[in-house]
Amino acid sequence: LHTAYRRQRQMCIRDSDKDGSVFGNRERLLPAQKRGYYREYTVRTPGSRDRGARRIVCGGKPRMPDACYYTSDHYASFREIVE
């Protein structure tokens, strides 16, 4: 997972003020966890003038997450990132 996480983080925008912020999982599509467990990161969207809809959401410790998920549709669905 850590290799996949590093690879996916390379796709992320590093200067967004939202990156690393707590993801509340209000949609309840990810496994239930306590608030603060999940963090979200913006994935570059070619041609987009704003953050776009792509995100990576990781759960657990920020640098050694337990699991990471990708959404291309702004939290409407998720796919787990696996190595």
Side-chain angles (χ1 to χ4, degrees), residues 16-67:
S16 173
D17 60 346
K18 299 286 187 179
D19 283 351
S21 63
V22 172
F23 176 73
N25 194 26
R26 288 186 289 274
E27 298 80 3
R28 297 184 180 161
L29 296 175
L30 300 179
Q33 296 288 344
K34 292 184 179 182
R35 178 153 175 78
Y37 179 81
Y38 292 111
R39 303 271 174 183
E40 70 171 280
Y41 303 91
T42 306
V43 176
R44 289 185 183 102
T45 303
S48 178
R49 295 181 185 195
D50 59 17
R51 291 176 68 206
R54 299 175 183 182
R55 302 285 187 277
I56 291 176
V57 175
C58 292
K61 296 179 183 178
R63 297 210 181 266
M64 295 194 60
D66 299 326

